[in-house]
C-alpha cells in the first residue's frame, strides 16, 4: 500500500486512520520518502494552540526550489514544467521545460541578489499571469527572500497598504498587462502606490506590453537586460523548516488585510501531497488551474504543489470570455488538459452562455474536474458534471482557505464517491469538528455547526505578519484549542461535509474574499456619507453581489443620487479595486442598530434579498422604526 498515492476509498480510510492515530509517524514517512532534504528534522511536530505555536519538521534544512526544480532535472529535464497560454490566442503558447525553468529561476535569483535582496527580505510581486510571475516567486524562494504576491487587480492604495505592512524593499512588476481586449497600466499603479511607500528602493520591470512608461531613475530597472547578464546557476540558500516562505494577504471581517505567513517545509509537504492525491495526477498529465497566482490557489496549486510533483502546469494570462466564451474549452482541447480546476463563479458565468461553446471543442482529455473558492450550487455542479466532464470526470469540490495553505476537505478523485454541493471528507491528516455556539463539539452525523480544526496540519499559516495577537484572536480564541475557520458546515448521514458559507462579515464575490469593513471604510470617506453597511445578496453568476445601505449627512441630501453612487464606487475602486464595487446602493435615513450600537447586518441582508417575512424580533433594536422605512424604500424601487 502506498500512503503517498491513494487510489480507492478503502485505502483512503486506512491511510486516514493512520494519519490521525499517529500523525508524527505518518507525516515523517511522507516527508522522508518524497522530498529532498539538506538535513532531516529533529522533531516532526510541536504545537500549542493556546499560544498559538505550531512547528513542523523543526531542525530540517531544505530549499523548496530544489524540490520543485533541481531534483527533476535528471529524470524530467526536457519535460514541460509550465505551459504559458497568452491572453491573445494568436500569440504562441510557450512550453517551458524543467531545464529552462531552472535556468530562468537561477538567472532571476542572481538578479535579485545583485540588486541587494537577501534572505529574509520581503519582495512584493505585482505581475499579471505571465511566466515571470512564477519565476519571480521561485527566485525569491531560491534566495530565501519572502515573497508577497499582490493580485494585479488591486488598486494602488491596496497595493501600498500591503507593501508597507511587510516593509518590502523591492517590487517586481510589468509595464502593463493584457486582460481580454483591455490593457492595464500596471506600472502606473505601482508608481502611484510608491508615493506612499518609503521602504521600496528598487522596482524591477518586465516588458509585457511594450508601452512607453515612466522609469524613475535610480529606482526602476528593466528586468530583461539584467537577466541577460546573469549566470544561469544559483546555489540555493539553505532554509530552516520554519523559515517564512511567503506572505499572502487575505481580507478580514475588520480592519486592514491580514498578511498570512506560510513557512517552508510543512507547506511544501502538504501542498505536494494534496496535489498528487486530490487530482490523481499521473506523470504524463497536463494540469490546469485557472486561478491567478495572486491568490493562495495559484501559490499552492499552480506553482508549488504541481512543480514539486514534476507536473506540467498551465498558466493562463487571459479571461474566460476573450475572444469568445469558448476560450477555456479551446485551451483544454489545445493542450489536452487532463485535470481542470476552477471556481463556481466561472462555471456559472460559462453555463449562462450555453453549451454551444463547449460543443465546438473536444474535451475528451479531461479526467478530473475541480472547484474551489465558495460553495458550489447544485445547478452549477450538474452543469459542470454533465457538460464539461460528460459524467465521466469526477468533480473534486475542494474546501480550504488562504490560512490553511492547502486543500482540507475534498473528495479524492476516483476514490471518494462525490455528492453535489458536498466537499465530502477530510483530507488525510485533517481533523475537522463542528462546534455549537456555546463551544461544545457536536458529535455524530446529520448535524451542523461552526467548522473548526482540532489538530495542526503541516501547511497551516503560522502567524499574521507583524501581529501574532491578531492571529490568535481571529483563529484561536473563539473555541478553546481549536482553529476556527469562520465557516459554517453540516455533516450528513455518512459523515460528508457541506460547507454552508461564512458565519462572519466576509462576503465572497466571484470567489474573492471581501471584508465588509474595508469597503465600508472606503464609502465613509465620501464627504457626504454619514454611515454605511454592506451585505451580500445571492447572485446567479457571482455567488454574492454587494448591496450597500448608505445614510447621508445633511450636506449630501440635496445631491443627485446617481452621481453619488458613481462617486462612492469610484472611491471603492481606488481604495480596494473594482472587484469590491457595489451592485446596488440604497440611500436610507438610518441603519438598524442594537442598543449597543452594532449594525444589524442580519436584518439588512434579509431586506436586500427581499426576504422580509421573517425578520425576527426587531423590538429590541435601538431604532426599530427605520426597518419599516428601509423595507419601503427598497421595495419601492
Ligand atoms: C473561504 C476562503 C482556498 C482558495 C480560495 C479561497 C470559501 C473556499 C470552498 C468550497 C465552500 C469554499 C470558504 C472559505 N470556500 N472553498 N469548496 N466550498 N466554500 O481562499 O480567499 O482564503 O477564502 O472561501 O468560505 O473560508 P480564501
Amino acid at each position: 500500500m502506498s500512503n503517498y498515492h491513494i487510489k480507492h476509498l478503502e485505502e483512503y480510510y486506512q491511510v486516514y486512520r493512520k494519519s490521525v492515530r499517529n500523525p508524527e509517524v505518518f507525516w515523517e514517512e511522507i516527508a522522508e520518502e518524497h522530498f529532498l532534504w539538506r538535513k532531516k528534522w529533529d522533531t516532526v511536530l510541536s504545537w500549542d494552540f493556546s499560544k498559538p505555536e505550531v512547528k513542523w519538521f523543526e531542525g530540517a534544512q531544505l530549499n523548496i526550489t530544489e524540490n520543485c526544480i533541481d531534483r527533476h532535472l535528471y529524470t524530467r529535464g526536457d519535460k514541460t514544467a509550465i505551459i504559458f497560454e497568452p491572453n491573445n490566442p494568436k500569440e504562441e503558447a510557450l512550453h517551458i521545460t524543467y531545464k529552462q525553468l531552472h535556468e530562468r529561476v537561477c538567472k532571476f535569483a542572481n538578479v535579485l541578489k545583485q540588486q541587494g535582496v537577501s534572505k529574509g527580505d520581503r519582495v512584493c510581486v505585482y505581475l499579471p499571469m505571465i511566466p515571470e510571475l512564477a519565476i519571480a516567486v521561485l527566485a525569491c524562494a531560491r534566495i530565501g527572500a519572502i515573497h508577497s504576491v499582490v493580485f494585479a487587480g488591486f488598486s494602488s492604495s491596496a497595493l501600498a497598504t500591503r507593501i508597507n505592512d511587510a516593509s518590502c524593499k523591492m517590487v517586481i512588476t510589468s509595464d502593463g498587462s493584457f486582460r481580454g481586449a483591455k490593457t492595464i497600466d500596471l506600472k502606473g499603479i505601482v508608481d502611484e502606490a510608491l508615493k506612499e511607500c518609503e521602504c521600496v528602493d528598487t522596482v524591477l520591470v518586465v516588458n509585457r506590453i511594450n508601452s512607453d512608461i515612466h522609469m524613475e531613475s535610480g529606482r526602476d530597472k528593466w528586468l530583461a537586460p539584467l537577466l541577460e547578464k546573469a549566470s544561469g546557476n544559483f546555489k540555493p540558500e539553505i532554509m530552516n523548516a520554519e523559515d517564512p516562505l511567503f506572505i499572502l494577504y487575505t481580507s478580514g471581517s475588520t480592519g486592514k488585510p491580514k498578511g498570512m505567513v506560510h513557512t517552508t517545509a510543512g507547506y511544501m509537504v502538504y501542498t505536494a501531497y494534496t496535489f498528487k492525491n486530490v487530482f490523481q495526477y499521473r506523470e504524463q498529465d497536463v494540469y490546469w488551474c485557472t486561478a491567478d497566482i495572486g491568490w493562495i490557489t495559484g501559490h499552492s496549486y499552480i506553482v508549488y504543489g504541481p512543480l514539486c510533483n514534476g507536473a506540467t502546469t498551465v498558466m493562463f494570462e487571459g479571461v474566460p470570455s476573450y475572444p469568445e466564451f469558448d476560450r477555456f474549452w479551446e485551451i483544454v482541447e489545445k493542450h489536452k488538459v487532463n485535470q481542470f480546476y476552477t471556481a463556481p463563479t466561472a462555471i456559472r458565468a460559462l453555463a449562462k452562455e450555453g453549451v454551444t461553446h463547449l460543443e465546438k471543442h473536444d474535451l475528451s482529455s479531461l479526467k478530473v474536474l475541480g472547484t474551489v473558492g465558495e460553495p458550489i450550487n447544485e445547478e452549477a455542479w450538474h452543469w459542470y458534471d454533465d457538460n464539461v466532464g460528460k459524467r465521466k470526470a469526477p468533480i473534486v469540490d475542494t474546501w480550504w482557505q488562504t490560512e490553511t495553505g492547502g486543500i482540507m476537505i475534498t473528495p479524492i478523485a476516483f476514490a471518494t464517491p462525490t455528492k453535489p454541493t458536498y466537499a465530502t471528507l477530510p483530507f488525510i491528516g485533517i481533523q475537522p469538528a463542528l462546534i455549537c455556539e456555546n463551544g461544545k463539539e457536536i458529535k455524530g452525523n446529520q448535524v451542523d455547526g461552526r467548522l473548526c480544526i482540532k489538530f495542526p496540519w503541516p501547511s497551516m499559516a503560522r502567524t499574521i505578519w507583524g501581529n501574532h495577537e491578531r492571529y490568535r484572536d481571529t483563529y484561536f480564541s473563539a473555541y478553546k484549542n481549536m482553529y476556527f475557520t469562520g465557516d459554517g458546515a453540516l455533516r450528513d448521514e455518512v459523515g460528508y461535509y457541506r460547507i454552508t458559507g461564512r458565519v462572519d462579515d466576509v462576503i465572497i464575490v466571484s470567489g474573492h474574499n471581501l471584508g465588509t469593513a474595508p469597503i465600508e471604510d472606503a464609502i465613509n470617506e465620501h464627504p457626504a456619507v454619514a454611515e454605511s453597511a454592506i451585505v451580500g445578496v445571492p447572485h446567479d453568476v457571482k455567488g454574492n453581489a454587494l448591496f450597500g445601505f448608505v445614510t447621508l449627512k445633511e450636506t449630501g441630501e440635496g445631491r443627485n443620487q446617481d452621481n453619488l453612487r458613481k462617486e462612492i464606487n469610484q472611491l471603492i475602486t481606488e481604495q480596494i479595486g473594482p472587484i469590491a464595487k457595489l451592485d446596488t446602493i440604497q440611500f436610507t435615513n438610518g441603519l438598524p442598530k442594537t442598543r449597543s450600537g452594532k449594525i444589524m447586518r442580519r436584518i439588512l441582508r434579509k431586506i436586500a434579498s427581499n426576504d422580509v417575512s421573517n425578520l425576527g424580533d426587531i423590538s429590541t433594536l435601538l431604532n426599530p422604526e427605520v426597518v419599516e422605512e428601509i423595507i419601503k424604500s427598497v421595495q419601492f424601487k
Side-chain angles (χ1 to χ4, degrees):
M1 187 178 81
S2 149
N3 288 337
Y4 193 70
H5 196 173
I6 293 149
K7 296 181 210 67
H8 44 81
L9 191 61
E10 235 165 275
E11 213 174 320
Y12 160 79
Y13 279 115
Q14 273 177 31
V15 179
Y16 181 77
R17 274 196 294 271
K18 187 168 163 186
S19 74
V20 168
R21 280 193 195 139
N22 211 335
E24 279 96 338
V25 172
F26 175 78
W27 287 111
E28 172 152 53
E29 222 173 275
I30 297 287
E32 182 109 44
E33 283 171 25
H34 302 280
F35 300 88
L36 196 67
W37 304 92
R38 288 298 184 109
K39 177 178 170 285
K40 296 270 166 75
W41 45 91
D42 306 316
T43 327
V44 177
L45 169 67
S46 57
W47 66 291
D48 178 351
F49 275 178
S50 70
K51 278 184 175 169
E53 186 180 83
V54 174
K55 289 179 179 164
W56 283 91
F57 308 112
E58 226 195 339
Q61 294 188 323
L62 72 156
N63 187 289
I64 197 170
T65 70
E66 283 194 306
N67 282 274
C68 289
I69 309 170
D70 303 54
R71 69 159 154 164
H72 306 310
L73 291 177
Y74 294 107
T75 49
R76 305 182 173 105
D78 295 318
K79 178 179 176 179
T80 301
I82 295 175
I83 298 176
F84 169 62
E85 173 67 28
N87 177 62
N88 181 347
K90 293 199 183 102
E91 193 183 320
E92 223 176 300
L94 272 180
H95 290 248
I96 303 171
T97 65
Y98 275 92
K99 265 191 205 145
Q100 291 165 336
L101 183 64
H102 177 261
E103 190 184 356
R104 292 184 68 173
V105 169
C106 285
K107 280 178 174 264
F108 209 134
N110 277 309
V111 169
L112 293 179
K113 207 90 257 180
Q114 280 159 19
Q115 296 300 318
V117 180
S118 41
K119 182 173 174 174
D121 287 342
R122 275 80 57 208
V123 173
C124 173
V125 183
Y126 187 70
L127 279 171
M129 280 287 284
I130 55 178
E132 286 80 356
L133 171 50
I135 293 165
V137 158
L138 291 163
C140 287
R142 198 156 181 97
I143 74 168
I146 302 169
H147 55 77
S148 167
V149 182
V150 177
F151 172 59
F154 275 122
S155 70
S156 60
S157 122
L159 174 62
T161 308
R162 286 158 178 77
I163 291 172
N164 284 329
D165 185 74
S167 326
C168 296
K169 68 191 290 189
M170 175 187 273
V171 178
I172 304 171
T173 188
S174 64
D175 58 343
S177 67
F178 296 120
R179 210 174 153 69
K182 287 190 270 187
T183 54
I184 296 160
D185 175 22
L186 280 196
K187 179 61 167 52
I189 296 172
V190 171
D191 288 342
E192 189 60 35
L194 292 191
K195 287 184 189 160
E196 294 166 46
C197 307
E198 282 180 9
C199 45
V200 174
D201 43 48
T202 311
V203 178
L204 296 182
V205 187
V206 177
N207 178 358
R208 175 59 185 138
I209 68 166
N210 254 330
S211 78
D212 190 16
I213 51 164
H214 164 77
M215 293 290 278
E216 182 89 16
S217 100
R219 187 193 73 183
D220 303 350
K221 290 161 191 159
W222 289 104
L223 182 67
L226 297 173
L227 285 174
E228 226 163 84
K229 283 181 266 158
S231 147
N233 275 307
F234 187 97
K235 250 180 81 193
E237 189 75 34
I238 305 301
M239 306 300 286
N240 293 325
E242 284 294 337
D243 279 343
L245 174 64
F246 65 86
I247 302 171
L248 186 62
Y249 287 86
T250 184
S251 15
S253 48
T254 55
K256 59 177 191 171
K258 298 173 285 194
M260 304 313 306
V261 177
H262 283 282
T263 59
T264 308
Y267 175 82
M268 170 183 79
V269 168
Y270 194 79
T271 53
Y273 184 52
T274 44
F275 171 74
K276 176 83 181 168
N277 283 290
V278 171
F279 299 102
Q280 291 290 303
Y281 183 84
R282 304 285 169 118
E283 188 60 34
Q284 299 310 319
D285 289 345
V286 173
Y287 160 89
W288 179 22
C289 165
T290 70
D292 192 291
I293 294 175
W295 310 115
I296 191 71
T297 311
H299 281 61
S300 303
Y301 299 110
I302 296 178
V303 182
Y304 290 114
L307 295 179
C308 232
N309 282 283
T312 299
T313 173
V314 176
M315 263 184 89
F316 175 43
E317 184 185 26
V319 293
S321 56
Y322 180 82
E324 299 290 338
F325 271 100
D326 68 341
R327 188 67 195 279
F328 273 6
W329 321 126
E330 181 193 88
I331 297 172
V332 167
E333 178 175 14
K334 177 173 170 190
H335 299 298
K336 302 201 170 43
V337 171
N338 302 112
Q339 292 89 7
F340 176 73
Y341 190 24
T342 195
T345 181
I347 298 167
R348 289 189 298 262
L350 293 168
K352 222 173 143 195
E353 299 302 320
V355 290
T356 49
H357 297 289
L358 286 152
E359 286 160 357
K360 285 187 256 169
H361 299 282
D362 176 7
L363 304 182
S364 60
S365 58
L366 289 173
K367 295 195 285 192
V368 177
L369 303 177
T371 155
V372 61
E374 62 186 306
I376 181 165
N377 50 306
E378 191 140 4
E379 202 184 337
W381 196 97
H382 283 297
W383 187 87
Y384 201 26
D385 188 37
D386 293 346
N387 300 297
V388 182
K390 323 276 185 215
R391 299 199 184 178
K392 283 191 291 237
I395 296 178
V396 291
D397 177 353
T398 63
W399 173 84
W400 57 297
Q401 310 177 295
T402 305
E403 296 85 338
T404 68
I407 295 170
M408 301 288 280
I409 300 184
T410 181
I412 289 179
F414 307 110
T416 317
T418 60
K419 176 174 176 182
T421 76
Y422 280 74
T424 75
L425 297 169
F427 189 75
I428 308 299
I430 302 306
Q431 303 187 31
L434 296 178
I435 308 294
C436 59
E437 293 204 14
N438 66 19
K440 276 230 173 72
E441 180 171 356
I442 309 163
K443 302 264 184 167
N445 289 342
Q446 285 189 300
V447 291
D448 65 73
R450 293 167 177 231
L451 180 62
C452 292
I453 315 288
K454 289 196 276 194
F455 193 84
W457 62 101
S459 67
M460 63 190 293
R462 303 293 195 261
T463 189
I464 292 174
W465 183 261
N467 199 344
H468 197 63
E469 214 175 295
R470 186 171 180 204
Y471 175 69
R472 187 187 59 224
D473 291 350
T474 312
Y475 305 106
F476 296 91
S477 67
Y479 309 106
K480 199 164 177 248
N481 275 326
M482 304 255 181
Y483 166 83
F484 175 46
T485 65
D487 285 321
L490 58 87
R491 193 160 52 215
D492 77 357
E493 62 287 351
V494 300
Y496 273 19
Y497 287 86
R498 176 186 185 163
I499 313 303
T500 46
R502 305 289 310 185
V503 296
D504 56 13
D505 289 331
V506 172
I507 305 172
I508 300 183
V509 179
S510 300
H512 300 303
N513 200 329
L514 299 170
T516 51
I519 304 176
E520 289 162 7
D521 290 346
I523 301 171
N524 298 349
E525 276 190 24
H526 192 288
V529 170
E531 208 176 25
S532 61
I534 306 298
V535 297
V537 291
H539 184 276
D540 284 355
V541 173
K542 298 196 277 193
N544 286 297
L546 294 177
F547 192 121
F549 293 90
V550 176
T551 62
L552 294 173
K553 291 181 187 156
E554 251 167 58
T555 52
E557 279 170 4
R559 298 229 13 224
N560 175 302
Q561 294 202 339
D562 281 335
N563 287 344
L564 278 174
R565 288 190 177 94
K566 276 189 204 133
E567 290 164 18
I568 287 171
N569 269 329
Q570 182 58 28
L571 268 171
I572 295 173
T573 305
E574 281 162 19
Q575 298 208 2
I576 298 155
I579 46 176
K581 280 204 292 200
L582 307 186
D583 290 80
T584 315
I585 298 177
Q586 178 65 49
F587 295 105
T588 67
N589 287 324
L591 298 171
K593 288 186 185 163
T594 61
R595 287 178 191 272
S596 62
K598 193 172 179 329
I599 297 173
M600 292 294 286
R601 286 208 178 66
R602 184 178 56 79
I603 292 176
L604 292 173
R605 213 172 287 131
K606 289 203 157 181
I607 298 175
S609 325
N610 212 351
D611 169 25
V612 293
S613 54
N614 176 22
L615 288 180
D617 183 11
I618 57 170
S619 64
T620 57
L621 293 181
L622 185 69
N623 49 354
E625 70 289 348
V626 304
V627 173
E628 202 48 42
E629 214 179 300
I630 298 175
I631 294 175
K632 275 202 199 115
S633 64
V634 172
Q635 286 179 340
F636 188 64
K637 287 181 63 188

